[in-house]
Every structure is written in C-alpha cells, then in structure tokens.
Amino acid sequence: MKILLLGSGGREHALAWKICQSPLVEQLWVAPGNAGTARLAASDCRSDAPHFAPCTNVDMRADDFDAVKALVLREHIDMLVVGPEDPLVKGVADVFRSDEQLAHVLVVGPSKAGAMLEGSKEFAKQFMSKHHIPTAAYRAFTPDTLDEGLAFLASLQPPYVLKADGLCAGKGVLILPTLEEAQRELRAMLDGMFGSASSTVVVEEFLSGRECSVFVLTDGRDYRLLPVARDYKRAGDGDTGLNTGGMGSVSPVSFADAEFMRKVEERIVRPTVEGLAAEGIDYHGFIFLGLIRVDRDYTNAKAGDPMVIEYNVRMGDPETETVMLRLKSDIVPLLEATARGSLGTTTVEEDSRSAVCVMLVSGGYPEAYGKGFRMSGLDAVSDAVLFHAGTALKGDDVVTNGGRVLAVSAYGDSQEQARARAYEEVAKIDFQDARYRHDIAATS
Ligand code: AMP
Ligand code: GLY
C-alpha cells in the first residue's frame, strides 16, 4: 500500500515511524515532513522492526489541496492520513470524497462537519450537551452579548475559563484568577484578540482534577481505543510558566484505571460516536478526548469520574510520541479499517511496557526563540526513539527549525525506568539554548 501522511511535527514523525514498520506498506510520503521523516531509517530513529518501508518528504503545504491531489494521482497513493487539524477543518476529507479522480482513495480524517468538534468550541459544547456527555457548564457570547457575558462571569466562582471559539494554534484558552482580569480578557477576545477565532467566546465552569488524553479511532459506527496518555502542557517544572503545545508525555496513565476507562467508554466515547452518527456527520478518523478525572462533584459527574475538557480531531502531540511506542498492533490495518468502515473486525494490542517522552525545546519557547542551530549528539542516542518535531536539514546537518525541537521517547518496564532512560538520552543531545522539563512522569 502507498500512503501519504500530511503534517510536519513530532506527531507525524511518530506516525510515520509506526506506519513504516507495517509489512503492508510499500512506500510512505510525508508532506511536508521534517528532518526526522527525511531520515526515518537512520540509526537514531532505530526500531527492532524487520521491515521498514521507504519514506520520502514532499515539499508542499498540508493545506495546498491541489498539490496534494497532484501528488496522490502521480504516485498512485492508496491512503491519505491527515496529521494536523488544519487541513481537516478546511475540508480535505470532503475534497477527496467529492472528487471523482480521488474518490477511491482511503481517507483517515473526518469530514469538515466532523472536524467542527475541534474547529468550534461552541459546536463541541452544544454537541456534548445534546448527547448528555459530561462537560463543564458553559455559555457562549459574541460582541452583541458582551454585557451578558460580563454579568455571567460575575455569577461564577474563580478561576474563570475563557475559550476562543475557533482554532488558535493552542493559544485560545485563558484561565484567569480574578473577575477583573476575566472581564478584561473577555472584552479583548470579543474585540478581536484572536481575530475571527474569538468573535465567539465560550465561558465555562472551571473543572478541578487530573487530565489525560484518550485516543479513539472510529469509522463512524465502531470504535477502538488506543493507549491512554498524559501530556505536560506548562513550560516550567512543577507545572509553572506559560502553556505550550506540550513538553512531554507518558503512557499509560496511572490514575486512568480500568474503572475510570469503563466510564470513559460508556459515558463519553460511545455517546460521541453515536451522536456523530445520529447527526449524520461523516467521521472516519481519530478522536482525541482531552479528559479530566475530576476531584469533586459537578452537576453531571461525581468525584473520580471523567469529564470532557475538549475534543480534537487528530492525535495529540507529544502524546503520539508515547502512544505509538505502546501500540503493539500494526497500525496500517487499523487505519485502513477506519477509512473503509470495518473497524469492528479489528483488535488493538497494547505493549505492557511504559513509555515516557521528554521534549527538547528552544530557549524562549513558547514565546520568541532562535532557529537554525546545529544539533549534536543525535547519533549517540541508543536507548530511546528520537522523534523530530521542529527540525530541518541544512546540507547534511540537522538544525533546529521550531520551538519544540526533538521528542526523546523511551520504553521501560515501569514508568520510573522509562523516565530514567528518557532523561539519560536527553542529556546526550545539545544545541544552542536547548531546554527541557526535568519532571516529566516524575509523579504518578
Ligand atoms: P485546550 O486548549 O482546550 O486544550 O485547553 C488548554 C488547557 O486549559 C487544558 O488542557 C486544561 O488544562 C485547561 N482547561 C481548559 N478548560 C478547562 C476547564 N473547564 N477547567 C479547567 N481547566 C481547563
Ligand atoms: N498535546 C495536546 C495537543 O496535541 O493538543
């Protein structure tokens, strides 16, 4: 099978690493990819797999649908796998389904209507409320209803949660400690702080508890759960500093025990898949549930129960960098069944080991940072899988090309062992202003 993967981050490198281990794959293309996907079979990306399909980067934007179509036709590609949310929200799956020349191509990724679960926070909240899926109580406001929004905030207890309705590259959620700040930020958001993405703002109840990420593959009727993970969003040790795309991850998650996962499946996964079907929304792809195990009672959940913080319509980054390590089954039959509508016939096997990923980032991230720094030590990594996030090739050198640069993912028989290995390998790598958190997976 010939596969095209859209995207360029650590998530896509991890997906490419897993896809290329499948004996079913003849060749993988990644558009645009990064230095890691360009050198997938290199020693630092080693794998014990007997088979490693060739992988080629294609220099094109993931949302340039004409270029994607031309590549798919030229290379006779059988399956498209969409990594990031942006092309999905822009309707790449619909383009493939409605184009006669592309209709035979298998697509892993929801329709534009399905991608609204991530593309619009208000849509997601309405969906959950309609299908009785436990989530924080909320109201949505526009510039016309600003005064009601200010009054609503005054009726809530701190801290205050404000969410821009549209996609903001992970920056659209503000959690504010005082009413004064919350009211000021609501005004600013409705005044265009995130452009049109914040022309509607969701204000919701703050949920207290521990977060985890649950990944589901669905073909719109059946579903399968992938290994559960947790990411570390704040830039600094001890969950301090600014929110980032994620500074590391761990899988499995100790507090996501069997009883918790049973509730997740019964109260969240099943009603979500059934809700999509009931609304006639075409959905063949990943659903990423950002969940919280609440530590006190709420209107529609008790202490210890799961509630939904958010939906995403793709895999998480850096969660994929541990989830792929722990997915024992060949991913390609799962992706194929997702696209074809035959997930009911598949099984997902998990590796019993733990996996920990530590992200090396550029100094300054998530604010301004430098780029183009040469890296050393990549070849010395021996006991971890190295996934590239923001890297590029400059001649034969691998240089930094983003805020999140490298994801170092290690296995262990326990979380402690995986963590110790990941940090041992991280210490071998260096580039100017390299930074990382020291407490990834430090507690259970
Ligand atoms: P998001 O961009 O939707 O992933 O939100 C970013 C982060 O904000 C989440 O991972 C949570 O840590 C936090 N968050 C979002 N909504 C809530 C909420 N209702 N209560 C508490 N924390 C929240
Ligand atoms: N790690 C969170 C995300 O991918 O959105």
Side-chain angles (χ1 to χ4, degrees):
M1 180 180 277
K2 294 179 176 176
I3 301 177
L4 170 61
L5 171 64
L6 298 182
S8 63
R11 167 182 53 213
E12 284 73 25
H13 186 179
L15 286 168
W17 173 82
K18 185 70 186 161
I19 288 171
C20 283
Q21 292 179 47
S22 170
L24 301 170
V25 178
E26 191 181 328
Q27 177 153 13
L28 176 70
W29 285 264
V30 190
N34 61 29
T37 54
R39 334 164 44 242
L40 199 60
S43 58
D44 50 318
C45 307
R46 68 165 41 78
S47 134
D48 302 333
H51 170 91
F52 225 88
C55 178
T56 312
N57 280 359
V58 189
D59 187 15
M60 65 168 66
R61 287 208 336 259
D63 62 354
D64 182 348
F65 298 160
D66 289 337
V68 171
K69 175 177 174 179
L71 175 71
V72 165
L73 295 180
R74 187 172 69 242
E75 302 291 355
H76 305 286
I77 282 165
D78 306 293
M79 181 156 72
L80 175 75
V81 181
V82 186
E85 64 280 13
D86 206 45
L88 294 166
V89 172
K90 289 181 177 155
V92 68
D94 311 69
V95 166
F96 270 67
R97 255 160 232 143
S98 61
D99 185 320
E100 246 174 52
Q101 290 177 289
L102 297 174
H104 67 282
V105 178
L106 297 168
V107 178
V108 180
S111 61
K112 192 172 185 168
M116 287 281 282
L117 281 182
E118 178 166 359
S120 165
K121 301 270 190 211
E122 187 183 17
F123 174 85
K125 297 298 286 191
Q126 283 168 348
F127 178 88
M128 286 186 269
S129 131
K130 205 182 310 171
H131 300 289
H132 311 290
I133 295 166
T135 189
Y138 82 104
R139 280 184 62 189
F141 300 97
T142 62
D144 290 343
T145 54
L146 169 65
D147 289 339
E148 287 168 49
L150 298 174
F152 181 63
L153 279 171
S155 75
L156 299 176
Q157 297 298 314
Y160 303 89
V161 183
L162 305 184
K163 299 185 171 184
D165 180 57
L167 292 184
C168 294
K171 297 189 174 66
V173 175
L174 302 183
I175 300 185
L176 302 152
T178 66
L179 178 60
E180 195 191 350
E181 281 167 277
Q183 291 184 327
R184 191 179 63 226
E185 295 297 341
L186 177 63
R187 266 181 215 283
M189 285 172 94
L190 289 174
D191 208 24
M193 178 172 163
F194 296 108
S196 61
S198 66
S199 55
T200 297
V201 174
V202 166
V203 176
E204 69 178 33
E205 168 187 37
F206 180 83
L207 302 176
S208 143
R210 292 198 279 176
E211 290 179 52
C212 64
S213 306
V214 169
F215 300 100
V216 180
L217 270 172
T218 182
D219 59 12
R221 184 184 50 203
D222 291 302
Y223 63 84
R224 291 291 179 264
L225 266 64
L226 300 178
V228 59
R230 167 180 175 196
D231 84 341
Y232 294 76
K233 283 210 167 68
R234 300 292 205 95
D237 289 357
D239 288 329
T240 54
L242 295 172
N243 252 322
T244 70
M247 298 292 289
S249 67
V250 57
S251 176
V253 179
S254 54
F255 63 83
D257 54 27
E259 174 61 7
F260 177 78
M261 291 309 293
R262 189 189 59 73
K263 289 178 186 164
V264 168
E265 210 172 323
E266 212 165 80
R267 300 178 191 180
I268 297 171
V269 178
R270 206 168 297 147
T272 297
V273 173
E274 286 171 2
L276 289 166
E279 296 195 22
I281 294 176
D282 182 57
Y283 206 113
H284 296 257
F286 293 101
I287 305 176
F288 161 0
L289 301 160
L291 301 182
I292 186 161
R293 180 176 170 146
V294 290
D295 56 19
R296 65 173 186 81
D297 293 355
Y298 289 89
T299 321
N300 46 14
K302 297 233 171 311
D305 286 352
M307 294 181 79
V308 179
I309 294 264
E310 61 164 354
Y311 283 114
N312 296 298
V313 298
R314 52 174 172 82
M315 287 296 291
D317 195 350
E319 290 95 326
T320 309
E321 290 92 312
T322 45
V323 171
M324 288 302 118
L325 261 66
R326 296 200 56 250
L327 176 61
K328 210 168 175 180
S329 311
D330 185 344
I331 194 172
V332 173
L334 293 171
L335 296 174
E336 189 177 349
T338 298
R340 283 194 197 282
S342 54
L343 255 184
T345 63
T346 62
T347 50
V348 173
E349 226 191 310
E350 292 189 8
D351 195 307
S352 59
R353 290 174 291 178
S354 285
V356 169
C357 160
V358 178
M359 191 64 86
L360 272 150
V361 307
S362 303
Y365 173 78
E367 297 183 300
Y369 53 82
K371 277 189 193 179
F373 303 129
R374 262 195 79 235
M375 284 179 247
S376 63
L378 304 196
D379 290 335
V381 171
S382 57
D383 218 4
V385 188
L386 197 55
F387 294 123
H388 292 225
T391 65
L393 282 175
K394 198 171 176 184
D396 285 338
D397 287 341
V398 182
V399 297
T400 68
N401 193 38
R404 292 193 291 175
V405 177
L406 288 167
V408 180
S409 297
Y411 284 111
D413 291 332
S414 62
Q415 180 173 316
E416 293 67 35
Q417 194 182 52
R419 167 182 150 72
R421 280 203 183 127
Y423 277 106
E424 231 167 77
E425 300 299 329
V426 163
K428 296 178 181 171
I429 301 170
D430 196 26
F431 54 85
Q432 190 178 320
D433 283 342
R435 302 265 191 288
Y436 56 89
R437 263 181 73 161
H438 300 83
D439 60 347
I440 304 298
T443 53
S444 54

